[in-house]
Amino acid sequence: MSTNAFVEASRARVRVRGLVQGVGFRPFAYGLASRFALSGWIMNDESGVLLEVQGDAIAPFLSALRNELPPLARIDALEVEARPTERLERGFAIAASAHTAKVSTEIGADAAPCAACLEELFDPRDRRHRYPFLNCTHCGPRFSITSALPYDRASTSMAAFPMCADCAREYADPRDRRFHAQPTACPRCGPRLSMPIEEVLAHLRSGKIVALKGVGGFQLACDATNADAVSRLRRAKERSGKPFAVMVASAATAARHVTLAPEEQRAAQDRSRPIVLARRKASSALAPDVAPDLAWLGVMLPSSPLHYLLFHEAAGRPIGLGWLDAPVDLALVMTSANPGGEPLVTDDAEAARRLDRIADVIV
């Protein structure tokens, strides 16, 4: 049934297909149901999202469902059918996910920290201040932590970290940005780094190669201005003449090394944090061996809170977000943690075994 034609029935079942798991779609629909005074329920299943709504404002609800999506969501199809009313139903609920058939939906990609999370990260008054694994409904790891669909915390690597009382309260509060945010965590209940940020930065500053456990596996990092460190990394990776990509704190720092056209800057700031090829500046202080004999350089911005914290430490731990508008005296070669031709290292024990001849430090 067309959503535009769906005006008279007082209850509808809605099948939503597309990128609707791991993107805050259920909390979003919950908020819309409250706004339009509708009862019903919503769940994840193998085909996407299934929901039923009942009340007098189904048509505007469906219009808002399609047109006011969360930033990471995408609707490919919206299928609506009339259903008999439920006389005793009260309120709208997020129901348990259904496991009934072969999976035919997808999970969202990992997304760089949103502005709201970055504000918390650099606010000394916030309980997640400088927490390397903060996230919310609109950002953070998704694909990399998910082992099965439908998407729920029990099907992610976060299942090993039960929420503390404060995180559980946020998770259950429809008014909170972390309402039903499956990867949510804090310093009290979530993952922790094996080494303080300041120590990691000190190793990088001293010319060491650091294996850093990222969202999707280990990365190898070194100071991109240290010619010896870059050359050692190139030899250890057996990379020959292939260029390395460089991570910088922001577009302001990137401008020290490359000329970013407006469209290149927009691409670099996309939540997927791609590597963007830009014209290298002759004045760049990067080691020549980063991208030997090339006029172009691959640059990327931080894709996780942990990355941001390394640059924040280098900037002197300023409060707020203003420091990102000025250049930071740090640029890092950031590359996958694997010897040439081998698969990416993702496991801690595997890292100790396979990266010992490449990395000076494993975090």
Side-chain angles (χ1 to χ4, degrees):
M1 177 182 293
S2 164
T3 58
N4 293 329
F6 197 92
V7 178
E8 298 180 359
S10 58
R11 187 177 183 89
R13 170 169 286 193
V14 185
R15 160 62 67 195
V16 190
R17 304 182 192 276
L19 188 51
V20 290
Q21 293 194 20
V23 293
F25 194 89
R26 289 177 296 177
F28 160 66
Y30 183 103
L32 289 183
S34 299
R35 184 169 116 199
F36 291 109
L38 301 176
S39 64
W41 50 263
I42 185 170
M43 68 166 66
N44 282 345
D45 65 11
E46 281 85 348
S47 298
V49 165
L50 185 65
L51 63 106
E52 290 193 7
V53 284
Q54 179 170 299
D56 297 327
I58 293 178
F61 168 86
L62 292 174
S63 177
L65 195 72
R66 183 180 288 279
N67 297 319
E68 300 178 20
L69 286 174
L72 301 180
R74 184 192 75 242
I75 291 179
D76 295 335
L78 201 65
E79 302 158 12
V80 186
E81 61 176 298
R83 302 289 290 177
T85 57
E86 301 281 350
R87 289 187 301 165
L88 301 179
E89 185 176 72
R90 296 291 183 273
F92 190 87
I94 296 180
S97 297
H99 303 258
T100 56
K102 182 179 179 181
V103 173
S104 60
T105 190
E106 56 186 307
I107 186 68
D110 306 323
C114 66
C117 279
L118 287 180
E119 295 237 357
E120 294 174 340
L121 190 65
F122 306 126
D123 182 356
R125 300 164 298 179
D126 195 276
R127 71 188 189 91
R128 290 185 175 87
H129 177 230
R130 289 179 57 83
Y131 180 56
F133 307 103
L134 92 168
N135 61 84
C136 75
T137 305
H138 305 304
C139 69
R142 295 297 190 274
F143 180 85
S144 289
I145 64 169
T146 302
S147 58
L149 293 174
Y151 175 72
D152 285 301
R153 191 178 181 96
S155 300
T156 73
S157 55
M158 292 304 295
F161 300 93
M163 285 182 277
C164 66
D166 288 336
C167 285
R169 183 169 57 253
E170 293 169 340
Y171 181 88
D173 185 354
R175 300 163 298 178
D176 197 280
R177 195 173 87 255
R178 294 184 170 90
F179 180 48
H180 272 258
Q182 304 304 326
T184 192
C186 76
R188 184 185 302 173
C189 63
R192 299 179 183 180
L193 278 185
S194 61
M195 182 182 297
I197 292 290
E198 58 268 29
E199 191 173 336
V200 179
L201 180 63
H203 285 307
L204 291 165
R205 292 285 204 196
S206 69
K208 291 183 178 178
I209 297 170
V210 176
L212 193 67
K213 192 172 188 181
V215 172
F218 278 87
Q219 296 171 306
L220 292 170
C222 74
D223 183 348
T225 66
N226 187 312
D228 178 67
V230 175
S231 295
R232 285 199 303 119
L233 179 57
R234 182 172 294 286
R235 290 194 300 270
K237 283 269 294 181
E238 301 173 14
R239 200 173 173 95
S240 185
K242 290 178 63 177
F244 283 126
V246 173
M247 180 177 284
V248 294
S250 64
T253 305
R256 280 188 166 184
H257 306 289
V258 296
T259 300
L260 279 178
E263 62 273 18
E264 292 166 344
Q265 181 169 327
R266 285 194 296 270
Q269 293 170 332
D270 185 85
R271 62 178 64 96
S272 65
R273 291 299 195 262
I275 297 171
V276 174
L277 282 177
R279 180 72 64 172
R280 184 172 181 167
K281 289 184 174 179
S283 58
S284 171
L286 299 182
D289 216 16
V290 168
D293 303 318
L294 292 179
W296 295 81
L297 183 70
V299 293
M300 54 184 161
L301 302 187
S303 57
S304 75
L306 177 55
H307 294 144
Y308 271 105
L309 287 173
L310 288 171
F311 294 105
H312 184 242
E313 187 73 25
R317 298 193 181 187
I319 296 172
L321 298 180
W323 65 277
L324 289 168
D325 296 328
V328 175
D329 186 24
L330 180 68
L332 298 173
V333 168
M334 196 70 69
T335 186
S336 59
N338 57 302
E342 295 185 15
L344 177 67
V345 175
T346 60
D347 178 76
D348 293 359
E350 183 186 15
R353 185 177 71 254
R354 292 178 56 203
L355 298 179
D356 61 342
R357 70 181 188 274
I358 298 178
D360 301 306
V361 179
I362 297 177
V363 182

